[in-house]
Amino acid sequence: MSDLEKIIRPIVEGQIRGFIKEHPAILKGVDWYKLRQDKAVTLTNSLSKRIVRDLTCPTVMARLEAAFA
């Protein structure tokens, strides 16, 4: 995990947990291939992993560097 990922992931996870707390009914729609005991944790981990991966991909990183330059 890169330094940037270590900064971004907790922020993203916190936002997802906050959203789930405000909208708990969303968990009823989560239908995992393998049943999970704690859908909130699984959903948070799954979404944050994908979001962080997208935010730290080379294309987005290049766009961010250009924006901050």
Side-chain angles (χ1 to χ4, degrees):
M1 184 180 294
S2 72
D3 290 341
L4 183 58
E5 289 178 67
K6 289 178 186 177
I7 294 169
I8 294 173
R9 182 131 183 189
I11 296 167
V12 171
E13 288 176 350
Q15 291 294 319
I16 295 168
R17 282 192 300 270
F19 184 83
I20 291 171
K21 186 175 181 178
E22 292 176 10
H23 307 282
I26 197 168
L27 293 177
K28 293 177 186 174
V30 176
D31 185 19
W32 300 106
Y33 175 69
K34 294 181 181 179
L35 295 177
R36 305 287 191 215
Q37 291 293 343
D38 192 342
K39 287 184 177 183
V41 170
T42 305
L43 180 62
T44 300
N45 288 340
S46 180
L47 286 175
S48 63
K49 178 180 177 182
R50 293 169 190 264
I51 292 168
V52 169
R53 187 183 311 147
D54 287 347
L55 289 173
T56 58
C57 77
T59 303
V60 173
M61 291 300 294
R63 290 174 65 192
L64 288 171
E65 287 175 3
F68 287 120

